[in-house]
Amino acid sequence: MTEAQPTLQAALSQELKQELKLTRRLLERVPTEQFGWQPHPKSMKLGTLASHMANLVGFLQMSLAGPETDLATTKMPESPTTTDEVLRRFDVNGENIHKALEQVDDATFHSSWSLRRGEQVFMTLPRAAVARTLVLNHLIHHRGQLSVYLRLLDIPVPAIYGGSADEAPQR
């Protein structure tokens, strides 16, 4: 007898829950007074990076809302200006994506979604690729970037997948 495989939606929801928890631990350490700091002129400012991470999760919810999102008609939220605002946005987006995931099936993840601005199509991807590439991998990439920013600012970096130089893994 073989064990039933979880649905794509259930597996993604579980993975997302863990990754959001780890990401929030980094975002909590971003000091509002350092939002304008950047490690290099070509780098994002700390506040811009934190805001981007808080908004990133919303792309999966957008992709689940319909076959396309048109940025010409979709109002994007203002960027948070404090750590508390970043955390509130991140938490709301996290809650919303879990609610949205409860409403979809695997067939939805295999269907395509497009991001456009008017006639200009930026991308068309299966929603599974949106979840993996545009949201999870992208969020993890920026989490690594944020951990370097924190290190450069002498802010203790939390344990993520194992210990960090500043703390042991959480159990």
Side-chain angles (χ1 to χ4, degrees), residues 67-72 112-125:
E68 66 179 26
T69 300
D70 188 343
L71 297 176
S112 291
W113 169 77
S114 295
L115 180 64
R116 68 172 56 242
R117 179 177 287 120
E119 295 301 313
Q120 182 183 12
V121 177
F122 296 113
M123 66 181 80
T124 299
L125 298 167

Side-chain angles (χ1 to χ4, degrees), residues 128-140:
V130 172
R132 172 61 53 206
T133 307
L134 193 60
V135 177
L136 276 169
N137 293 358
H138 193 168
L139 185 64
I140 292 166

Side-chain angles (χ1 to χ4, degrees), residues 56-66 92-93 95-97 100 135:
L56 202 57
V57 180
F59 274 96
L60 183 53
Q61 182 184 0
M62 275 194 277
S63 80
L64 295 173
V92 165
N93 283 339
E95 287 173 30
N96 288 344
I97 193 51
V135 177

Side-chain angles (χ1 to χ4, degrees), residues 7 21 67 88-89 105 109 119 129 144 159:
T7 64
K21 178 181 165 187
R88 276 194 299 277
R89 172 84 48 82
D105 57 16
F109 282 107
E119 295 301 313

